[in-house]
Amino acid sequence: MEHQAEKSNGRHDSDHPVVSFLGPVSSYTHQTALQRFNDNEYGFEPASSITGVFEAVQSGAADFGVVPFENSTNGAVIFTLDLLADRQSMYADISVCDEAYLDVSHYLLGHKAAVTSSPEMSGASTPTSLIPSPLKPRSKPLSSIKHIKRIYTHPQAFGQCEIFLGAYLKGIERIDVSSTSKAAELVKEDKTGTSAAIASSLAAEIHGLDVLAKAIEDREDNTTRFFILRKGVDETAKHTGNPTKSLISFTVDHRSPGALADVLECFRNKKLNLTSINSRPTRIVPFQYIFFVEFEGSLRHDPDGRVKGALSDLEKYAQSWRLLGSWEDKLVR
Amino acid sequence: MEHQAEKSNGRHDSDHPVVSFLGPVSSYTHQTALQRFNDNEYGFEPASSITGVFEAVQSGAADFGVVPFENSTNGAVIFTLDLLADRQSMYADISVCDEAYLDVSHYLLGHKAAVTSSPEMSGASTPTSLIPSPLKPRSKPLSSIKHIKRIYTHPQAFGQCEIFLGAYLKGIERIDVSSTSKAAELVKEDKTGTSAAIASSLAAEIHGLDVLAKAIEDREDNTTRFFILRKGVDETAKHTGNPTKSLISFTVDHRSPGALADVLECFRNKKLNLTSINSRPTRIVPFQYIFFVEFEGSLRHDPDGRVKGALSDLEKYAQSWRLLGSWEDKLVR
């Protein structure tokens, strides 16, 4: 683990292809990058924003990019959708070539209280009677957390730990920061020892923080889906026979009633199941949207021509469209 | 204006119907509430969260609620969608009875620098040559803002002012807070005078801050759409003949391929134009969604039975669904 952290800290063998990921080091995206790409064969470069990952891939500074796309509790990552919308055509060559799922387990990290008291004595036992059964916290503090006066984390992580926070840290000041790793860094710097961060177990190791509670997320099945980005399409990639998915973005003429339904009907006609749908403002005309539709199938492995057929039908109804990529479905159902 | 601010500060005549709005006082939602409801006839109560507005309306503590639904630059307000999703059936009686649009203009508020220098001397002149033409800021500082060391605002507002911030406050520390009004409050409290807030002109008046720059939003047409909530449906409301819109939420059986397209086809069949589509995680099974579809038409004024027909067809394909309301379309096109 130490070796991986060093490697990903900006340095890498120049012979190796480079993977840009949403940093900093120890982020969930970093974990995903390490899980997806063998660190003997790839160099890892943290980017300070999702935009940074897109820029690295588009410019060729990185061969691959790893960005979060959606969380099973909190939904789509708006920043990634906005970059995929590519309103200014800045990322014209970027495509999605794969996906990866990470079971996200949040830890409460900080400094143990100076005088250690048992969880029972500190009021940290599970307050069973106070919380309705579907909203019981999944874990309890490992030691007293009564000294905690403020909590740092990313807004998405607060949203995924509401039950634990409501049970054990109700009313404690919350401070939004740009990443869970940044939160761990800030807690490390706070010499009063009264701050805590919600972050990954990797962040505890890297920043040398105490684990105050494990697995504090509301749902056991808290999963984040990531996209792997590359420049252009890998024409040499072999089809494995596994199910595939594709992502398309499009706009419709909003003066034409039913245009959105007409586009979606193109997929239905060809029996291509839709697996997700999202929309973002066009930022050209208020309350007109860029739509994102994910569907089962791949343009590159399309034996019965259904994907090609749907895209050709869609040409009639969409004002503009772009196939953002096709990849192998990695969701374990 | 002073009178309105006082009135909305929690006090109201008990004979008057009560409007709960996302506070604090001077928020954009407050502005919208004052624009939509005559303050001689209604009392105004700020709620500290969107959840608070839903609770006030559901419990009957308020007769109406005002919540933001989407912004033309930043897209849907996730918190409002999640409350409308109503996964725990806590807001079973709430319906959307109207919409309102507010042109959102952000101001940079703070304390003027102790020694006033002209904009030209302070480097605050428009850096025309550095910024590509589509990304020129729409306004420039009214006086030097070189003393500003940190900026407070709501994450949505940062997202709406990127061009101005990139041109005049690049690299300055940004702190996310829960509302633009809260940002103004924090800046008022900071005695060093080196903080600034992005907030409404109403916030400048209420908190007595200097206007450092006006209209710093990226787009002139930066508009937020609000929903007006009530308990149940007003059976006495008369149809004015103006176009109407309705909002429905639904889930589909994800083992049934094409179920989403089948539901949308119900609207297409009846020639009901879709005006927006959103999705949120069900939080029951990962990567399965609650969909929100807005369409033209009203169940209460449905002369040719098209809305009734679509809803009856949809019954076959949706696993569950709920009509969240019908109201008069207020978008000026």
Side-chain angles (χ1 to χ4, degrees), chain B residues 153-196:
Chain B
T153 199
H154 188 275
Q156 282 250 356
F158 277 128
Q160 292 162 21
C161 302
E162 286 299 351
I163 301 173
F164 181 92
L165 294 174
Y168 298 113
L169 293 162
K170 204 175 170 72
I172 300 297
E173 186 189 8
R174 297 181 184 191
I175 299 162
D176 287 350
V177 291
S178 55
S179 71
T180 55
S181 346
K182 178 76 186 168
E185 209 181 298
L186 289 169
V187 168
K188 191 189 179 182
E189 283 166 11
D190 175 11
K191 299 299 174 204
T192 69
T194 58
S195 300

Side-chain angles (χ1 to χ4, degrees), chain A residues 133-290:
Chain A
S133 128
L135 296 176
K136 265 187 208 164
R138 296 181 46 239
S139 71
K140 55 181 185 177
L142 301 172
S143 59
S144 170
I145 53 172
K146 278 198 151 174
H147 61 297
I148 300 303
K149 297 222 171 75
R150 79 198 62 75
I151 316 165
Y152 293 91
T153 200
H154 188 275
Q156 281 250 355
F158 277 127
Q160 292 163 22
C161 303
E162 286 298 351
I163 300 172
F164 180 92
L165 294 174
Y168 298 113
L169 291 162
K170 204 173 169 74
I172 301 296
E173 186 189 8
R174 298 181 183 190
I175 299 162
D176 287 351
V177 291
S178 55
S179 72
T180 56
S181 347
K182 179 75 187 170
E185 210 180 297
L186 290 170
V187 168
K188 192 189 179 181
E189 283 165 12
D190 175 11
K191 298 301 174 205
T192 69
T194 57
S195 299
I198 299 174
S200 68
S201 56
L202 183 59
E205 283 180 52
I206 287 181
H207 297 292
L209 291 170
D210 296 329
V211 174
L212 303 178
K214 289 181 179 181
I216 64 167
E217 60 276 9
D218 295 348
R219 299 184 55 89
E220 199 170 1
D221 56 8
N222 186 33
T223 306
T224 297
R225 176 156 71 128
F226 295 84
F227 275 162
I228 317 297
L229 308 176
R230 53 166 289 146
K231 204 169 168 174
V233 174
D234 180 6
E235 298 292 350
T236 67
K238 288 208 179 64
H239 180 66
T240 60
N242 291 334
T244 50
K245 283 191 289 202
S246 297
L247 180 67
I248 187 177
S249 64
F250 62 88
T251 58
V252 296
D253 183 345
H254 287 260
R255 291 159 305 181
S256 153
L260 170 60
D262 287 336
V263 171
L264 299 175
E265 177 63 14
C266 300
F267 296 99
R268 186 171 168 272
N269 259 334
K270 303 292 180 194
K271 302 202 188 317
L272 294 169
N273 197 17
L274 306 184
T275 55
S276 82
I277 186 161
N278 283 287
S279 65
R280 294 291 301 146
T282 57
R283 297 189 188 161
I284 296 167
V285 180
F287 307 110
Q288 300 196 356
Y289 309 92
I290 300 173

Side-chain angles (χ1 to χ4, degrees), chain A residues 78 81 277-281 289-292, chain B residues 75-76 276-279:
Chain A
I78 299 307
L81 282 178
I277 186 161
N278 283 287
S279 65
R280 294 291 301 146
Y289 309 92
I290 300 173
F291 299 98
F292 296 86
Chain B
S276 82
I277 186 160
N278 283 287
S279 64

